[in-house]
Amino acid sequence: MNNQTKKELAVAALQNGIVIDHIPCSSLFKVVNILGLENIEKGITIGNNLDSRSMGKKGLIKIADVELPKEIFNRIAVIAPNAVINIIKDYEVVDKHRVELPENLIDIVKCNNPKCISNNEPMRTQFHIIDKSANAFRCHYCERIVNRENVVLK
Amino acid sequence: MQNRNLVSISDLTKDEMLALLKRAQEFEKNPNQHILDGKVVGSLFFEPSTRTRLSFETAVNRLGGRVIGFSDASTSSQSKGETLKDTIMMVANYADLIVMRHPLEGAARYASEISKVPIVNAGDGSNQHPTQTMLDLYTIYQTQGTLENLTITMVGDLKYGRTVHSLLEAMHFFSPKFIFVACDELRMPAQYKEYCKKLGIEYEETREFNEEIINKTDILYMTRVQRERFSDLMEYERVKNIYTLTASMLKGCRKNLRVLHPLPRVTEIAQDVDDTPQAYYFEQALNGLYTREAILCRALGL
């Protein structure tokens, strides 16, 4: 078996389920948290610092026999905007798409400003993306800007 | 009907700003008009601000409207733990319009989303205070005859001072030039300098506050340097004196220069400046009445 096949095996040997690929290494465990993997009883593989042609190093999560709601992918997009979702059926990739960051993040990000109304009332948070690369978000309420690395998810 | 809330200065287009200034001019000529006859305005001050509250309530009274509300959260159900939402829902049943001041940032935006009557923001924490900005604009227009191509020098606390940030944003429509004068601790935040760069607005930044700066200025916008901003009190004492304007510093200034200050003033403008023709901060405060009359009418579509 050559090296290339071995690598592919590490990624693709899943009969049914989801592979979340191209996660920045530093964000991998945040994504694990978002997914609530500790509550999933299906087979899970978590890889990090794997070689990647496009990213250098990357993280990857495989979950067998699950379907996840779209909202979860929106949340992942906040911290891993280039992550790719592969839906696997019968060992085949039947769908492959990037996570998509919505223009407005409703109730996904928590505001970092303790004096923001959204941290003091029972209400939904809202953030707007302020640049194309989506590295910063503006709170709809207190208008503070939060950079991606400081984002806290709700 | 279009959105008639006024939450943030950036909610206004250039045309809307100019229309408000024009309306304020009418109220300057005749402040007493019966436009709000039969209207009830809720004046909700979740934190005390006597100056702003009196200005708003005078505006309502001079337009023939009536005021309900509170001037301190301790006399409202907030002190019993009521949410802002519940207070707003309740008052929106009684009043035609709500003027609110709140210590938390974003409170007015949130209120505007849940209220069935228009919200006018009278200050939300350190975030926005759009009626202050409108009265600043009005004063600049009144004293200079134009808003275009002016050099505006901002002095003092440029880091935390929301009035300077909002004024900067509002002026971007009018090709201004800015001079930012502040000590290192209180410099204009990078976010606003980026904003200027992006829009091609010329600015310079300096620690020096002297005649050379003053003599190339049209509007000298002074702000209060607050002791609580400093971790080092020695530093505060030093800075406080450097950024004090005295009458002698105005000797060689442009004839059209006016000194503005959002008030309250402490030591940053010496008393002897009050007697110079450049002092304009008390008139500026009076302009708050006219601009707030205009803003109340806009909010009610009257």
Side-chain angles (χ1 to χ4, degrees):
Chain A
M1 199 184 272
N2 63 33
N3 276 344
Q4 188 59 36
T5 331
K6 269 187 200 161
K7 250 185 213 166
E8 277 174 15
L9 259 185
V11 180
L14 187 64
Q15 186 177 0
N16 290 300
I18 290 175
V19 179
I20 304 167
D21 200 357
H22 293 104
I23 304 170
C25 297
S26 59
S27 303
L28 179 90
F29 289 98
K30 286 188 191 162
V31 176
V32 168
N33 274 334
I34 293 172
L35 291 167
L37 292 186
E38 67 273 29
N39 300 320
I40 293 179
E41 289 174 356
K42 308 288 184 182
I44 296 170
T45 312
I46 299 172
N48 206 12
N49 303 320
L50 305 173
D51 289 329
S52 157
R53 237 172 294 166
S54 58
M55 302 173 69
K57 296 277 181 189
K58 68 175 183 183
L60 169 149
I61 300 170
K62 294 194 289 181
I63 315 162
D65 304 317
V66 294
E67 284 180 28
L68 294 170
K70 195 169 181 276
E71 293 80 59
I72 277 204
F73 298 124
N74 289 344
R75 291 165 66 86
I76 291 172
V78 175
I79 50 168
N82 297 316
V84 174
I85 310 292
N86 298 282
I87 311 289
I88 314 285
K89 286 203 172 122
D90 269 336
Y91 300 102
E92 299 273 337
V93 177
V94 294
D95 186 17
K96 181 177 185 135
H97 59 267
R98 279 197 173 194
V99 292
E100 254 178 73
L101 197 58
E103 284 270 306
N104 293 322
L105 306 169
I106 311 277
D107 222 21
I108 294 175
V109 174
K110 184 180 175 306
C111 188
N112 290 8
N113 173 8
K115 283 191 70 195
C116 177
I117 187 72
S118 69
N119 285 319
N120 292 273
E121 280 265 317
M123 61 187 278
R124 298 196 303 178
T125 67
Q126 193 175 340
F127 279 78
H128 306 293
I129 293 166
I130 55 170
D131 62 351
K132 285 199 191 90
S133 50
N135 286 318
F137 312 98
R138 176 187 281 116
C139 175
H140 175 70
Y141 295 101
C142 73
E143 306 186 24
R144 290 278 179 94
I145 292 168
V146 185
N147 293 323
R148 182 191 302 286
E149 56 267 32
N150 298 325
V151 156
V152 181
L153 297 175
K154 255 191 117 170
Chain B
M1 197 76 196
Q2 72 197 87
N3 175 7
R4 295 175 306 184
N5 301 304
L6 181 57
V7 172
S8 169
I9 195 68
S10 55
D11 295 347
L12 295 175
T13 64
K14 182 179 180 178
D15 285 346
E16 283 173 316
M17 277 183 196
L18 293 173
L20 275 174
L21 298 181
K22 222 171 163 185
R23 194 78 193 269
Q25 271 181 322
E26 289 170 30
F27 289 119
E28 186 183 350
K29 282 181 212 137
N30 180 12
N32 302 309
Q33 300 189 31
H34 289 280
I35 301 172
L36 295 189
D37 273 351
K39 299 286 183 196
V40 174
V41 174
S43 167
L44 310 187
F45 278 65
F46 295 91
E47 69 175 358
S49 171
T50 311
R51 189 182 311 275
T52 304
R53 185 173 59 82
L54 290 183
S55 173
F56 263 112
E57 294 185 0
T58 305
V60 176
N61 279 293
R62 290 204 178 274
L63 292 173
R66 294 178 199 201
V67 179
I68 58 166
F70 48 85
S71 56
D72 187 336
S74 66
T75 62
S76 82
S77 289
Q78 280 261 307
S79 59
K80 300 173 194 160
E82 187 181 51
T83 60
L84 173 63
K85 180 181 178 182
D86 289 10
T87 308
I88 295 291
M89 296 301 267
M90 190 260 314
V91 177
N93 283 334
Y94 303 145
D96 299 295
L97 164 76
I98 292 173
V99 172
M100 65 178 280
R101 168 85 158 215
H102 201 285
L104 293 173
E105 288 135 36
R109 176 75 63 202
Y110 178 56
S112 75
E113 290 171 351
I114 54 178
S115 169
K116 61 184 179 189
V117 300
I119 299 284
V120 173
N121 185 4
D124 59 327
S126 63
N127 184 32
Q128 289 281 336
H129 193 2
T131 63
Q132 173 73 44
T133 309
M134 285 311 300
L135 81 88
D136 289 344
L137 280 189
Y138 186 73
T139 307
I140 294 172
Y141 184 71
Q142 186 186 49
T143 59
Q144 308 296 315
T146 177
L147 291 172
E148 303 282 345
N149 303 308
L150 297 170
T151 299
I152 299 176
T153 298
M154 299 172 161
V155 185
D157 180 357
L158 307 188
K159 185 172 180 188
Y160 301 100
R162 67 180 167 195
T163 54
V164 292
H165 301 155
S166 298
L167 182 60
L168 185 152
E169 263 185 66
M171 285 302 297
H172 89 267
F173 292 120
F174 307 105
S175 324
K177 187 184 168 212
F178 290 111
I179 305 175
F180 303 136
V181 182
C183 62
D184 288 342
E185 287 86 343
L186 298 176
R187 282 171 62 175
M188 185 59 82
Q191 180 188 340
Y192 293 98
K193 287 184 270 181
E194 282 301 316
Y195 178 84
C196 287
K197 271 184 212 157
K198 222 165 85 186
L199 295 171
I201 295 171
E202 208 184 317
Y203 70 85
E204 58 181 281
E205 205 177 10
T206 172
R207 275 187 222 97
E208 309 297 322
F209 183 43
N210 54 31
E211 281 82 347
E212 191 194 329
I213 300 285
I214 291 171
N215 293 350
K216 53 184 179 186
T217 294
D218 298 307
I219 289 290
L220 186 55
Y221 199 98
M222 303 293 298
T223 62
R224 183 159 53 109
V225 173
Q226 296 179 50
R227 185 197 302 245
E228 55 268 31
R229 304 294 186 207
F230 286 83
S231 48
D232 181 354
L233 280 184
M234 292 278 281
E235 184 62 17
Y236 165 72
E237 291 298 329
R238 191 185 67 79
V239 164
K240 190 179 73 175
N241 295 327
I242 294 178
Y243 301 107
T244 295
L245 178 69
T246 61
S248 64
M249 293 165 78
L250 292 169
K251 278 198 179 113
C253 76
R254 293 178 177 176
K255 276 220 155 57
N256 63 308
L257 179 141
R258 290 294 176 273
V259 180
L260 305 190
H261 191 299
L263 303 180
R265 134 183 85 161
V266 190
T267 55
E268 58 280 357
I269 302 178
Q271 299 288 323
D272 63 2
V273 177
D274 297 0
D275 303 324
T276 67
Q278 278 71 42
Y280 210 76
Y281 22 93
F282 297 119
E283 290 87 342
Q284 179 189 4
L286 172 60
N287 286 337
L289 173 63
Y290 311 135
T291 44
R292 286 181 178 117
E293 286 186 283
I295 286 162
L296 291 170
C297 290
R298 171 186 178 268
L300 286 168
L302 296 171

